[in-house]
Amino acid sequence: MRLPRTPSQTVGPYFAIALPWADGPFAVADGTPGAIWLRGRVFDGAGEPVTDALIETWQPPPHGPPVAGFRGFARSATDGVGRWAVLTLKPRAAPNEAPSIDLLVFARGLLKPIATRIYFADEVAANAADPVLGAIGDAQQRASLVAERCPDGYRFDIHLQGPNETAFFDA
């Protein structure tokens, strides 16, 4: 007997059951010297906030000696207005690349998470020489990967679709 194929399933709301946890947004403990906040909002194609997304960051450690408790990974759920936040350290640059943080977005309607990268606006020379940024021909898409400096860290908004769409990478 041959069984029929099952339909594809969408992500969510199931991902919210076990993936977020209290320490998830902290790649380092609050009060760690040099810690910065990465903050932003997630928007859908109509410019509306996505209130049930999950943002996951992966990064190398910073320059200098090892930092106790640094795990290079953080995860933040969005709130009722689409805000997310991660406390981390600014990463060191990989060889021949600008400092960057890899980011995954999990959200309703996505069968798989989508991947992008965060670069830093105050790394102008490194960003100009970065091969990944350099491979993106469209200036608006390139700019969508650069987080802007703010008083306690950097702001990085994520637009899933539309005229301000963030550049995403094949996983």
Side-chain angles (χ1 to χ4, degrees):
M1 177 173 165
R2 193 167 178 173
L3 297 175
R5 294 171 62 188
T6 59
S8 296
Q9 302 296 313
T10 59
V11 174
Y14 311 111
F15 66 81
I17 294 170
L19 294 180
W21 75 99
D23 290 338
F26 298 93
V28 293
D30 198 13
T32 299
I36 57 169
W37 280 103
L38 294 178
R39 301 179 197 267
R41 293 180 70 195
V42 180
F43 298 97
D44 66 15
E48 295 297 318
V50 178
T51 60
D52 58 354
L54 186 74
I55 306 304
E56 193 173 274
T57 61
W58 296 83
Q59 70 178 86
H63 286 287
V67 176
F70 174 74
R71 65 175 176 230
F73 167 80
R75 188 179 281 159
S76 174
T78 55
D79 67 9
V81 292
R83 289 181 300 213
W84 64 277
V86 167
L87 185 68
T88 191
L89 297 168
K90 192 170 179 184
R92 70 172 181 258
N96 302 313
E97 291 186 12
S100 64
I101 295 176
D102 294 331
L103 185 140
L104 290 176
V105 180
F106 299 82
R108 65 181 179 269
L110 297 176
L111 296 177
K112 299 185 309 184
I114 51 178
T116 191
R117 209 176 232 200
I118 300 173
Y119 290 90
F120 301 92
D122 53 0
E123 296 285 347
V124 177
N127 289 347
D130 187 88
V132 175
L133 280 175
I136 301 172
D138 182 89
Q140 183 175 340
Q141 282 193 322
R142 216 173 20 258
S144 76
L145 299 179
V146 180
E148 294 300 322
R149 191 81 169 113
C150 59
D152 62 352
Y154 295 85
R155 179 180 177 93
F156 186 77
D157 289 337
I158 301 162
H159 296 265
L160 300 177
Q161 295 178 330
N164 298 317
E165 182 176 342
T166 300
F168 297 104
F169 301 96
D170 290 335

